[in-house]
Amino acid sequence: MSAEAKHPVRPTGATAVLRPRQSPVVTSATGGEFTLSSHVSAPGFSPVDMLYGALAGCLVISARAAAAKLGVLDKLGDVSARVTGRKAVEGPSRVEAFHVEMEIGGDIDVAVKKEIAEAAEGEICTVSNTLRGHPSIEALLVDNTVPV
């Protein structure tokens, strides 16, 4: 059996659209949709919140995978990850440091919980691995207003 048959590949990617006098709407490759909050006091997710949320979500999913790998999935309780960050004072606007607090519940020894957290963050989570890896960004302007 091929690797693709065992593990179907999930479509990935997102498109954000900003229409005049509206908030940006982001649509995932799978059809999920949410509206971004672009005002400081408005409830909702800003793009930076989404960055923190992507890391937090990836970590809890990865913790479950790590628990399964370690044979303790049946003992795993609630898992939470709280992610905050510090924006850089100088240079381009960016998050300069992330702070992660993970809680792993369940009838599992503290040493194994630590293994789960370390494996989730350091090996399994695509988002943390990507942020640590300084990925390149290839930006391209597509102008559909120019006639062919």
Side-chain angles (χ1 to χ4, degrees):
M1 183 176 257
S2 75
E4 280 188 31
K6 284 185 184 176
H7 304 286
V9 177
R10 178 182 171 86
T12 60
T15 302
V17 176
L18 175 62
R19 301 203 188 294
R21 295 172 297 290
Q22 293 183 11
S23 294
V25 175
V26 179
T27 306
S28 73
T30 58
E33 193 173 277
F34 65 89
T35 301
L36 284 172
S37 175
S38 54
H39 302 286
V40 175
S41 61
F45 289 95
S46 72
V48 175
D49 292 333
M50 293 305 301
L51 180 63
Y52 296 150
L55 180 55
C58 187
L59 287 170
V60 298
I61 291 169
S62 297
R64 181 175 54 201
K69 229 171 139 176
L70 292 168
V72 295
L73 184 58
D74 59 327
K75 297 178 180 181
L76 186 67
D78 290 352
V79 178
S80 69
R82 182 173 187 268
V83 177
T84 57
R86 183 178 67 247
K87 288 190 81 175
V89 177
E90 295 181 7
S93 181
R94 69 192 185 285
V95 175
E96 147 179 285
F98 291 88
H99 178 76
V100 176
E101 295 176 1
M102 286 186 75
E103 286 187 51
I104 299 172
D107 186 23
I108 302 171
D109 181 78
V110 173
V112 176
K113 287 180 181 182
K114 186 174 180 182
E115 278 186 72
I116 291 170
E118 288 174 354
E121 193 281 322
E123 300 168 23
I124 300 170
C125 176
T126 301
V127 176
S128 65
N129 290 330
T130 300
L131 291 170
R132 198 178 312 97
H134 307 289
S136 64
I137 298 174
E138 299 169 5
L140 172 66
L141 173 64
V142 178
D143 188 348
N144 292 323
T145 62
V146 178
V148 184

